[in-house]
Amino acid sequence: MPRGGRRRGGGLCGRELVPDVILLDLVMPRKDGIAAIHEIMHENPDAKILVLTSFSDDERVFAAIKAGALGYLLKDCLPTELLEAMRAVVPRRAS
C-alpha cells in the first residue's frame, strides 16, 4: 500500500485505496484526464487531485479546476514546487 494511503473496502482495480493526494495527467492512454477527475470526484468527493501535465493552455487549466482538481502544475516544475503543492492540499495529521 502506498505510504500514507488508506484502504477502502472492495471496489474495482485501484479503487480500494484512498490516497492522500492524486497526481493526474490530462492525457492518458485510456481516459481523458478531465473525465477521470469527474469520475474520481463522483466516487470520492473528498479526493485531493493535483494535475501534473505538460499542457498549460487556459482552457485545460480551467476545465481541470472546474472538474475538481485543487491545483495544476507543469511537468517541468521544480521538485520543491510539487512537494509544496502536495502539502498545500493534504491536511497535516497529528503525530
Side-chain angles (χ1 to χ4, degrees):
M1 176 166 29
R3 192 171 148 221
R6 297 171 301 285
R7 283 204 177 274
R8 181 187 289 171
L12 299 173
C13 179
R15 292 190 174 137
E16 66 274 1
L17 297 177
V18 183
D20 292 332
V21 64
I22 299 168
L23 295 179
L24 185 70
D25 198 349
L26 293 181
V27 178
M28 300 179 290
R30 296 188 187 152
K31 185 174 293 219
D32 170 76
I34 303 301
I37 294 169
H38 281 292
E39 185 176 318
I40 292 166
M41 295 305 294
H42 176 75
E43 291 184 14
N44 180 7
D46 296 325
K48 310 290 190 261
I49 302 172
L50 291 175
V51 172
L52 183 64
T53 191
S54 57
F55 300 98
S56 63
D57 57 283
D58 288 347
E59 186 176 319
R60 291 181 198 233
V61 173
F62 294 139
I65 300 300
K66 186 176 179 182
L70 297 176
Y72 194 101
L73 296 115
L74 295 178
K75 288 184 177 179
D76 63 355
C77 71
L78 296 172
T80 54
E81 293 172 318
L82 178 56
L83 285 172
E84 184 178 319
M86 292 171 68
R87 288 179 179 134
V89 300
V90 177
R92 291 181 60 90
R93 293 183 232 178
S95 301

